[in-house]
């Protein structure tokens, strides 16, 4: 009994010694350690208690405590510090002259208790709890791209949220449409796990599972990470995601584009739509108006029926049928389609004809499912002649012949109209005209002559030249004839005659050919273009520009007296007379002529003609060279008083 008591006392004493060695006084509750918070990678400042000063901290030992086991890491002796070998050997330094330590490059593994113990004047201890923090990276979220069916009996994975490199482990919260989600049996389940990286940081992975309904097809999900730093609480949010939700269709319907009233000629698209996801298999049918049966139409790869161009026959009853391949449920919907039309526009009489001075009445009719308006226009000019189905033409003239347009339109349907053309013919002999010019040619070359005429009935054209002509119709009542001929002396003499004739009469145009002569070619002649052209085949056209009911003929004129030749002749005469006058004046000055001077012989004429003719030569440049032939008495006379005849050589 005594031996047992002694053994217990020994064990108790040994336990107390161990507690003192660990800095934990036996039987005495340790005080709460001082909390020091620091972020990963920064420097932690460890102070050996507020009561210590440089005077009583000359001998201090620092320990790191793990699992209640202290390990010496640093000594301070008389204001100098020394690190102990180990994990902190190169990261601890003494701050100032006291016992304050600086721990550099803090890692998550540094989160522990640090203890400082002073030896003098008496043994004292101070504990520091180092708390380490690290903000996680921006959370990433991965949505379930496969999708979730509303018919699933258990919660399906909606999305996965990952937060990397945080410390300590952050808290995750899931949101749907901005509202937090909480665990709910058989409806919402959140499964989270964390992984410790080699750096000591944590990676959080959270999976959201839920049972979704049709209304969740547009729901927005995201996750939020909450964490703490020395300066307070923080949070980070992921992007929003939408998960595909599959649900059966409850109804189908038809959609027609364009929206509004349809008309013939439009491109119309008819498509089936449904409120299910994925959409069911569609087919489009149209009711046969004769049998009343629905007949399936051909649709493209997108399930669209295209009517292009739409016609009135496309109007009718259409049906959309949707078959859900998963539930084998069939849904149907019918819709009436109306294509507005204007058709069968016709004018009576279809070929209106009359004589000059007569009257014509044109009637226009058309078919449509809408109320119609009629308008009449002239084809060539677009001039509006009147409104209404009837057009009256009074006191017809030849100019009234030609095309008329009846436009039938439906005002209630913008852009819906149809047009019918009718040609009015006025009986009359051919109408012809030719340009007031000749055709300048070269002998023995090929030229192309054209002749155009119009009338009703349509005339035919013949030539007096033995050559092949080609004809083509111009409009409803005109004709154009082109003749290629060789320029011969006979053709130059007679010209080419174009004769247009019909049952009402005939009309003629004559085209004369003139040889090119540079000395006689008028400078202002329109044939300058003919001379400059290098094309050996030239054309003269007699066109009905100014039409008349009588023959229009280009008469062959005698050789023209060129104005240029006359001008040249006048100039030459003036120069000759000027030279003659200068010579006479020179002889007069030299005394060679007896013009009123003594000792000189007079130049006289017979008495019957003496002093009756005086010649005056004038020049704009040399007025002193203008002389007068004087009379026998030697007196000079003014130009206006020189006798019966006066010639001014300037004119």
């Amino acid at each position: 009994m005594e031996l047992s008591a002694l053994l217990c006392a020994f064990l108790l004493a040994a336990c107390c010694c161990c507690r003192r060695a660990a800095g934990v006084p036996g039987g005495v509750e340790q005080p709460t350690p001082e909390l020091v918070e620091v972020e990963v990678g920064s420097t932690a400042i460890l102070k050996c208690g507020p009561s210590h000063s440089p005077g009583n901290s000359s001998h201090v030992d620092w320990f790191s405590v793990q699992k209640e086991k202290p390990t010496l890491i640093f000594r301070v002796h008389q204001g100098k510090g020394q690190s102990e070998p180990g994990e902190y050997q190169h990261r601890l330094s003494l701050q100032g002259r006291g016992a304050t330590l600086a721990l550099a490059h803090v890692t998550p593994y540094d989160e522990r208790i640090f203890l400082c113990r002073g030896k003098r004047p008496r043994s004292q201890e101070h504990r520091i709890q180092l708390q380490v923090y690290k903000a996680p990276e921006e959370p990433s979220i991965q949505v379930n791209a496969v999708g979730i069916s509303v018919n699933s009996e258990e919660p399906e994975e909606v999305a996965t949220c990952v937060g990397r490199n945080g410390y300590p482990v952050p808290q995750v919260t899931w949101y749907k449409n901005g509202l937090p989600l909480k665990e709910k049996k058989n409806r919402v389940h959140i499964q989270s796990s964390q992984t410790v990286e080699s750096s000591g940081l944590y990676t959080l992975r959270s999976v959201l599972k839920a049972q979704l309904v049709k209304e969740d097809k547009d729901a927005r999900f995201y996750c939020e990470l909450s964490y703490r730093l020395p300066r307070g609480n923080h949070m980070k949010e992921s992007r929003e995601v939408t998960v595909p939700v599959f649900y059966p269709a409850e109804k189908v319907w038809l959609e027609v584009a364009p929206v509004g009233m349809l008309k013939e000629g439009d491109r119309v698209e008819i498509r089936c739509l449904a409120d299910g996801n994925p959409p069911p298999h569609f087919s489009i049918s149209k009711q046969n108006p004769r049998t009343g049966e629905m007949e399936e139409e051909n649709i493209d790869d997108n399930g669209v029926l295209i009517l292009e161009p739409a016609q009135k026959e496309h109007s009718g009853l259409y049906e959309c049928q949707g078959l859900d391949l998963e539930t084998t449920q069939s849904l149907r919907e019918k819709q009436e389609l109306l294509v507005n039309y204007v058709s069968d526009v016709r004018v009576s009489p279809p070929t209106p004809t009359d004589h000059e001075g007569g009257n014509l009445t044109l009637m226009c009719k058309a078919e449509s499912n809408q109320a119609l308006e009629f308008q009449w226009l002239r084809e060539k000019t677009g001039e509006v002649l009147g409104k209404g189905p009837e057009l009256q033409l009074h006191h017809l003239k030849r100019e009234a012949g030609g095309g008329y347009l009846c436009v039938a339109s439906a005002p209630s349907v913008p852009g819906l109209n149809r047009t019918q053309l009718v040609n009015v013919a006025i009986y009359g002999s051919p109408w012809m005209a030719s340009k007031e010019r000749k055709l300048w040619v070269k002998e023995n070359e090929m030229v192309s002559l054209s002749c155009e005429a119009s009338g009703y009935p349509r005339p035919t054209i013949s030539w007096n030249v033995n050559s092949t002509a080609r004809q083509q119709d111009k409009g409803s009542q005109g004709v154009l004839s082109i003749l290629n001929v060789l320029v011969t002396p006979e053709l130059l003499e007679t010209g080419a005659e174009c004769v247009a004739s019909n049952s009402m009469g005939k009309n003629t145009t004559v085209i004369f050919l003139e040889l090119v002569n540079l000395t006689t070619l008028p400078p202002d002649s329109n044939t300058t273009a003919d001379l400059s052209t290098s094309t050996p085949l030239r054309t003269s056209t007699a066109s009905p520009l100014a039409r008349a009911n009588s023959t229009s003929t280009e008469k062959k004129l005698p050789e023209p007296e060129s104005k240029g030749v006359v001008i040249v002749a006048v100039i030459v005469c003036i120069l000759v007379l000027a030279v003659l006058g200068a010579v006479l004046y020179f002889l007069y000055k030299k005394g060679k002529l007896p013009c009123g001077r003594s000792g000189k012989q007079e130049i006289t004429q017979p008495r019957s003609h003496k002093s009756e003719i005086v010649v005056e030569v004038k020049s704009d440049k040399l007025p002193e060279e203008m002389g007068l032939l004087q009379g026998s008495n030697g007196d000079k006379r003014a130009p206006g008083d020189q006798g019966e005849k006066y010639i001014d050589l300037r004119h």
Side-chain angles (χ1 to χ4, degrees), residues 23 61 124 147 178 272 281 303 375 377 408 421 532 535 553:
D61 293 335
Q124 292 182 347
C272 268
H281 174 73
Q375 191 176 49
L377 293 86
L421 172 66
S532 62
T535 305
T553 305

Side-chain angles (χ1 to χ4, degrees), residues 359-409:
N359 300 319
L360 269 178
T361 300
L362 304 180
M363 289 294 299
C364 188
K365 296 181 180 179
E367 294 182 2
S368 176
N369 62 324
Q370 301 287 342
L372 293 178
E373 291 183 355
F374 294 91
Q375 191 176 49
W376 292 91
L377 293 86
R378 193 65 193 265
E379 180 191 18
K380 284 187 176 180
T381 63
E383 177 188 2
V384 177
L385 303 177
K387 295 185 177 181
E390 182 179 292
L391 176 65
Q392 293 185 353
L393 303 175
H394 300 289
H395 309 297
L396 293 174
K397 297 181 179 180
R398 295 192 178 205
E399 292 77 6
Y404 291 79
L405 296 174
C406 171
V407 181
S409 58

Side-chain angles (χ1 to χ4, degrees), residues 6 316 469:
L6 290 174

Side-chain angles (χ1 to χ4, degrees), residues 566-586:
V566 174
I567 294 174
V568 171
V570 171
I571 293 175
V572 171
C573 292
I574 293 174
L575 292 176
V576 171
L577 293 176
V579 172
L580 178 60
V583 172
L584 294 176
Y585 182 75
F586 176 77

Side-chain angles (χ1 to χ4, degrees), residues 207-255:
V207 179
L208 171 65
K209 296 182 177 181
Q211 265 194 335
L212 302 183
V213 295
K214 179 180 177 180
E215 289 72 18
D216 293 328
K217 60 185 178 65
D218 298 320
R220 303 183 307 278
F221 296 90
Y222 68 94
C223 64
E224 176 188 276
L225 297 182
S226 301
Y227 56 94
R228 176 175 171 77
L229 294 178
R231 54 185 178 272
N233 295 324
H234 301 269
M235 65 88 175
K236 291 182 177 181
E237 295 178 346
S238 72
R239 62 184 178 89
E240 293 183 334
V241 295
T242 301
V243 63
V245 180
F246 303 127
Y247 48 90
E250 298 178 357
K251 63 178 181 178
V252 297
W253 64 92
L254 282 167
E255 182 180 81

Side-chain angles (χ1 to χ4, degrees), residues 458 470-474 478-482:
R458 188 195 301 272
R470 62 181 187 275
Q471 291 193 160
Q472 63 187 52
D473 293 341
K474 301 286 286 185
V479 63
L480 173 65
S481 178
I482 301 175

Side-chain angles (χ1 to χ4, degrees), residues 144-177:
N144 178 7
V146 177
I148 300 175
S149 173
V150 297
N151 297 325
S152 177
E153 297 180 356
E154 295 182 355
E156 298 285 342
E157 180 179 331
V158 176
T160 300
C161 180
V162 178
R164 302 181 184 277
N165 298 325
Y167 193 88
V169 181
Q171 299 296 318
V172 63
T173 305
W174 282 94
Y175 290 84
K176 183 180 80 171
N177 295 331

